[in-house]
Amino acid sequence: MNRKRALRTVFFVLLGLVFIIGLWYLAAYCLYAENNSTLAYPHETLLKMGELLFFSGAKKTWVAMGWTTARVLIGFCAAFVFAALLGTLAALFPDVKLFLLPSVGAMKAIPTVAVVLILFGMLLAPETTVYMNYIPCVLTFIIAFPLIYEAFRAGIEDEDREVADYLRLDCGKRSLKGTLFVLLPDAWPYISLSIAQSVGLSFKTSIMAEVLVNISGVQAGLGTLIYQARYEADLPRVLAYAVIALILLAIIDIPFVVLKGKMRKRGFENGQRK
């Protein structure tokens, strides 16, 4: 039964992929029929990807992939550390939760493009240009922090009543021992789901920031290469870089998607205990 379900899953995923590629071919064909060659065919994009990854410009592509990944990791790790600490404190101390409510709400609501433009204006001076390398890190932090913070807070607050009562009697619910060895492990399904949800968003936001921050002195990421290709009107190269970014995101995201699936099988859905 499990094998049949797995084959069915693979079949429909591949069918969806074929559908997307078919639409891509159709759109490219219609544009070519109107003498508009801006949209390359999928096989042309694949050939361009191979060229960018293994032949002409390969070094620049791999270095850009490294910079994009590093920026995402820096911002995400910083967000995780602060969200873990503050989310735990907010769950244990209601006053901390109220104090952080405006800040977390602002992070959720603020347009990320506005943050990029504000930081760009602040760091435009020659002596501060080097700090523009870290604007994508700031954007990643803003995207990931609220999701992970809410996961820690909700996971601890939603602890089983019997366990919470036992902790109060044994060592106190707010004790360091109870938090580290009971509350946080029990909150892990919430935390893992928040990680799975925020990694992809962080990656896409980082690339968007790189597209907007593309001046000399800033190390080129994939977003920078996409902008440069668009500036040079080389749209097949734009598509190739976009697909490379998509594949890189999929590689990074696969472990978290698998983890999310395991959490669902264990009785968790969207961060809620069943």
Side-chain angles (χ1 to χ4, degrees), residues 31-201:
L31 288 172
Y32 273 100
E34 297 293 330
N35 294 321
N36 186 342
S37 58
T38 55
L39 181 62
Y41 285 111
H43 66 274
E44 294 174 336
T45 302
L46 189 63
L47 291 173
K48 177 64 72 173
M49 282 174 53
E51 177 186 331
L52 294 173
L53 286 171
F54 304 109
F55 298 101
S56 175
K59 180 179 179 181
K60 181 169 69 173
T61 302
W62 286 99
V63 170
M65 290 167 64
W67 271 102
T68 296
T69 304
R71 286 164 176 153
V72 172
L73 288 176
I74 291 171
F76 188 84
C77 289
F80 186 88
V81 171
F82 281 97
L85 176 61
L86 296 177
T88 302
L89 291 175
L92 298 177
F93 302 96
D95 290 342
V96 175
K97 176 182 174 180
L98 293 174
F99 176 78
L100 292 173
L101 186 61
S103 300
V104 176
M107 285 189 185
K108 290 180 180 179
I110 190 169
T112 51
V113 174
V115 176
V116 174
L117 296 177
I118 291 170
L119 292 175
F120 187 88
M122 291 170 57
L123 303 175
L124 195 57
E127 63 272 14
T128 56
T129 298
V130 65
Y131 297 113
M132 287 191 181
N133 282 299
Y134 303 102
I135 289 179
C137 303
V138 176
L139 268 290
T140 298
F141 183 95
I142 291 173
I143 291 295
F145 177 86
L147 292 172
I148 301 173
Y149 165 87
E150 291 293 349
F152 274 89
R153 182 193 60 76
I156 294 174
E157 287 184 346
D158 198 37
E159 180 59 87
D160 185 84
R161 185 180 297 276
E162 291 184 3
V163 175
D165 291 341
Y166 174 79
L167 281 177
R168 274 191 209 95
L169 294 173
D170 184 52
C171 58
K173 183 180 178 181
R174 296 175 181 175
S175 69
L176 182 61
K177 180 180 177 181
T179 301
L180 291 178
F181 296 105
V182 178
L183 295 178
L184 288 178
D186 284 354
W188 173 245
Y190 290 78
I191 299 165
S192 61
L193 286 174
S194 71
I195 293 173
Q197 292 165 357
S198 57
V199 166
L201 288 173

Side-chain angles (χ1 to χ4, degrees), residues 219-231:
Q219 292 289 342
L222 283 174
T224 310
L225 298 185
I226 290 172
Y227 175 85
Q228 291 173 352
R230 177 65 184 86
Y231 183 78

